[in-house]
Amino acid sequence: MKIQHIFFDLDNTIWDHRKNAYLTIKDLFKKEEIALQYNIDFEEFHSVYHEINESLWEKIRDEIIDKEYLRKHRFYDTFKHFGVDNEDLSMSFEEHFLDKILNYNELVEGAEYILDYLKSKNYTLHIISNGFKEVTERKCILSGIDHYFQTITSADTIGVRKPRPEIFEYSLHLAKATKEESILIGDDWIADVVGAQNFGMDVIFFNVLNENKEEEGLKVITHLLQLKEYL
């Protein structure tokens, strides 16, 4: 059956979370004078934060922790790595981070062009995100891409995250779409690729980090404009 519905992951597939987070944390770091007070280099701080945050998000995906644990620990554990055991400072960073990150709305390179292209080809576009419900829609609105998507599914809406099949089922039902006429595009190997495959839905792996992941017959892109080769 011909593909009619395209489901996009949001963070780091369309909305450049890595870049926006970097810029936000850099602002907070400067405002709180962390380098001056604690003699911590920002680039080192961000590198440690990034590793910790990625690991925590993997644990959320795998249902080992919940979002409250992530919010409590990603900055706390980062500061603690540098010998700063200050829960108030960590939670202040967390609260301001969630608020201020939406001041930055950089998109992944080629995102708007490819969304325009796909709309011109009469595909119906959707978002299916593991992100928090309260920020997913605001990211789309504030970055000016909400009008491209007929539906937006956030994991918090149904209480499960990719790769669980329930979120794919929910999103397709919301979109009034079938597996056979749908395809997912995402950057997370487990959540997006394995999740979609186990659900029985076609998928394109956006290998933005050039991970050493190979699978016979799998559609892979390293830049969003390469979607034109498949769609």
Side-chain angles (χ1 to χ4, degrees):
M1 186 180 290
K2 184 181 177 183
I3 296 296
Q4 297 180 35
H5 294 268
I6 302 175
F7 292 80
F8 280 94
D9 172 58
L10 182 61
D11 286 345
N12 300 316
T13 299
I14 295 292
W15 198 84
D16 197 337
H17 185 274
R18 291 186 186 93
K19 185 173 185 179
N20 295 324
Y22 175 90
L23 294 170
T24 304
I25 296 168
K26 192 172 186 178
D27 281 350
L28 292 173
F29 198 87
K30 183 178 180 181
K31 182 181 178 183
E32 297 294 331
E33 299 183 327
I34 301 301
L36 182 64
Q37 290 195 54
Y38 301 104
N39 194 30
I40 302 173
D41 176 74
F42 170 71
E43 295 298 337
E44 288 183 31
F45 180 88
H46 178 265
S47 178
V48 171
Y49 164 82
H50 178 72
E51 279 191 33
I52 288 171
N53 188 56
E54 292 286 306
S55 175
L56 289 171
W57 270 105
E58 288 174 4
K59 290 176 180 175
I60 279 188
R61 180 197 67 201
D62 298 338
E63 300 181 330
I64 298 170
I65 63 171
D66 58 19
K67 69 179 182 181
E68 284 73 24
Y69 185 95
L70 177 140
R71 287 175 166 173
K72 183 176 180 181
H73 281 271
R74 57 181 169 186
F75 285 110
Y76 178 75
D77 291 357
T78 302
F79 276 112
K80 198 167 183 183
H81 173 88
F82 293 96
V84 180
D85 189 346
N86 188 328
E87 192 170 332
D88 289 340
L89 175 64
S90 303
M91 288 312 298
S92 175
F93 250 70
E94 176 66 23
E95 289 163 10
H96 285 97
F97 173 76
L98 290 173
D99 183 45
K100 300 297 184 185
I101 193 171
L102 295 175
N103 290 339
Y104 291 100
N105 282 287
E106 298 287 335
L107 299 177
V108 173
E109 186 177 11
E112 283 195 273
Y113 176 90
I114 205 66
L115 292 173
D116 280 330
Y117 168 80
L118 295 172
K119 289 291 278 189
S120 75
K121 302 279 283 186
N122 293 317
Y123 290 107
T124 304
L125 310 182
H126 310 270
I127 290 288
I128 176 169
S129 172
N130 271 1
F132 302 143
K133 183 179 186 298
E134 59 267 35
V135 295
T136 298
E137 290 189 10
R138 289 177 67 199
K139 286 178 179 178
C140 292
I141 292 167
L142 293 174
S143 63
I145 59 172
D146 57 303
H147 66 280
Y148 289 107
F149 303 106
Q150 184 182 80
T151 67
I152 297 174
T153 298
S154 296
D156 286 2
T157 305
I158 57 170
V160 298
R161 288 177 161 76
K162 297 175 290 180
R164 287 273 295 273
E166 294 94 330
I167 189 168
F168 293 98
E169 192 72 62
Y170 176 90
S171 194
L172 261 66
H173 178 75
L174 189 66
K176 297 181 173 60
T178 65
K179 297 179 190 181
E180 293 76 19
E181 62 185 5
S182 303
I183 193 166
L184 175 73
I185 299 156
D187 69 302
D188 188 294
W189 181 261
I190 300 296
D192 298 316
V193 178
V194 174
Q197 288 176 335
N198 287 345
F199 180 65
M201 181 175 169
D202 201 2
V203 61
I204 297 174
F205 178 40
F206 182 22
N207 193 7
V208 66
L209 297 179
N210 291 308
E211 298 175 68
N212 187 25
K213 303 284 189 183
E214 294 184 15
E215 186 177 285
E216 188 175 352
L218 178 66
K219 303 177 183 72
V220 181
I221 60 170
T222 55
H223 192 287
L224 286 176
L225 298 191
Q226 293 172 324
L227 286 175
K228 295 172 75 173
E229 299 173 15
Y230 296 109
L231 298 164

